[in-house]
């Protein structure tokens, strides 16, 4: 997926880039709303709302709501570190010239997007959030195969996460983004590392 995204960035010729995974969908007016906000606010990144779609039903992401990720308006990484909840490339419209020199690491299978997104956030002069839904992340039976892949490769996924974490930590530390650094640690520990450790324990892989 990283190589594909990198190639997409390389051959892009428009002013903006939007990433969408092949098994997800977007509202019919998503591009219009994101693009309008980008022009009106001269934003480098416009963050839209992501909603899980489970068996055809919309489900809000509770942690994002709790921390105010989708509250509309201007954001900065230091004053609004909660945007690090939204650490994937989807549900965001990027200025092409902001990310054309950034690369997704092709050596990672897991957490590969973290360094890219944090680097983009740091480079951005203007980040703006709209409260409109701009991405549907579909959770289907097929997703179980991805879960099974993680179950069988917990150690590899943990090593990928640690490598990604070190790079992100370095970016945030070098830019003296202390609140963001603290929030990223909380985000990764609670919502990614701890579940991986639990999975390793259940699979009798904890010592490994």
């Amino acid at each position: 997926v990283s190589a594909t995204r990198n190639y997409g960035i390389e051959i892009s010729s428009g002013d903006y880039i939007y990433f969408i995974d092949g098994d997800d969908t977007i509202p019919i007016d998503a591009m219009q709303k994101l693009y309008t906000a980008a022009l009106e606010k001269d934003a480098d990144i416009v963050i839209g709302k992501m909603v899980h779609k489970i068996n055809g039903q919309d489900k809000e992401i509770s942690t994002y709501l709790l921390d105010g990720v989708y509250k509309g308006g201007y954001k900065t990484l230091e004053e609004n570190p909660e945007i690090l909840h939204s650490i994937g490339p989807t549900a965001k419209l990027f200025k092409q010239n902001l990310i054309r020199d950034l690369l997704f690491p092709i050596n990672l299978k897991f957490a590969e997007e973290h360094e890219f997104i944090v680097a983009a956030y740091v480079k951005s002069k203007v980040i703006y959030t709209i409260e409109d839904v701009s991405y549907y992340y579909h959770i289907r039976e097929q997703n179980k195969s991805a879960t099974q892949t993680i179950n069988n490769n917990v150690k590899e996924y943990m090593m990928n996460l640690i490598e990604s974490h070190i790079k992100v930590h370095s970016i945030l530390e070098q830019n003296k983004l202390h609140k963001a650094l603290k929030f990223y640690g909380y985000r990764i520990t609670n919502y990614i590392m701890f579940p991986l450790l639990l999975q390793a324990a259940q699979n009798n892989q904890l010592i490994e």
Side-chain angles (χ1 to χ4, degrees):
V1 67
S2 292
T4 304
R5 288 170 176 164
N6 290 340
Y7 181 64
I9 294 171
E10 179 185 344
I11 66 171
S12 65
S13 58
D15 295 330
Y16 295 89
I17 292 177
Y18 186 84
F19 296 96
I20 179 169
D21 290 343
D23 55 351
D24 294 328
T25 57
I26 60 175
I28 194 168
D29 58 354
M31 290 297 95
Q32 178 185 349
K33 290 180 176 179
L34 289 165
Y35 181 65
T36 298
L39 293 180
E40 290 180 351
K41 310 302 179 182
D42 192 25
D44 297 307
I45 300 175
V46 180
I47 303 172
K49 187 176 185 179
M50 178 188 287
V51 171
H52 287 164
K53 193 171 278 290
I54 304 173
N55 297 323
Q57 300 296 314
D58 294 357
K59 182 176 176 56
E60 300 277 4
I61 305 174
S62 58
T63 52
Y64 288 24
L65 290 176
L66 181 65
D67 288 325
V69 175
Y70 297 133
K71 183 178 179 181
Y74 292 99
K75 304 291 177 70
T76 69
L77 192 53
E78 185 66 355
E79 293 303 316
N80 308 98
E82 69 274 5
I83 64 174
L84 288 171
H85 267 310
S86 185
I87 203 164
T90 54
K92 300 173 183 67
L93 189 68
F94 299 89
K95 272 189 178 177
Q96 194 262 9
N97 60 12
L98 175 79
I99 63 172
R100 63 187 175 196
D101 296 325
L102 298 179
L103 292 172
F104 290 91
I106 61 174
N107 63 311
L108 300 181
K109 295 180 181 178
F110 185 67
E112 77 286 340
E113 69 271 35
H114 294 191
E115 181 185 2
F116 180 96
I117 295 302
V118 171
Y121 280 157
V122 170
K123 285 184 65 178
S124 299
K125 293 180 180 178
V126 178
I127 301 172
Y128 193 82
T129 298
I130 62 173
E131 298 183 0
D132 302 278
V133 176
S134 67
Y135 199 90
Y136 291 118
Y137 178 80
H138 289 257
I139 299 176
R140 306 183 181 90
E141 286 297 310
Q142 297 98 300
N143 293 101
K144 291 183 178 179
S145 62
T147 302
Q148 189 61 43
T149 300
I150 295 175
N151 291 347
N152 295 334
N153 300 278
V154 175
K155 180 180 177 182
E156 180 183 5
Y157 277 69
M158 183 64 80
M159 296 304 293
N160 280 194
L161 179 63
I162 291 170
E163 182 175 340
S164 175
H165 185 282
I166 290 171
K167 292 178 179 177
V168 171
H169 188 281
S170 177
I171 293 171
L172 295 174
E173 192 171 48
Q174 287 174 12
N175 287 276
K176 297 180 170 56
L177 297 169
H178 304 297
K179 290 181 181 178
L181 190 58
K182 184 176 180 179
F183 191 92
Y184 179 73
Y186 151 77
R187 165 80 166 84
I188 297 307
T189 302
N190 282 25
Y191 297 105
I192 305 182
M193 187 172 289
F194 187 61
L196 280 176
L197 288 171
L198 284 178
Q199 193 61 58
Q202 293 169 10
N203 295 351
N204 295 317
Q205 297 174 330
L206 195 57
I207 294 175
E208 181 185 0

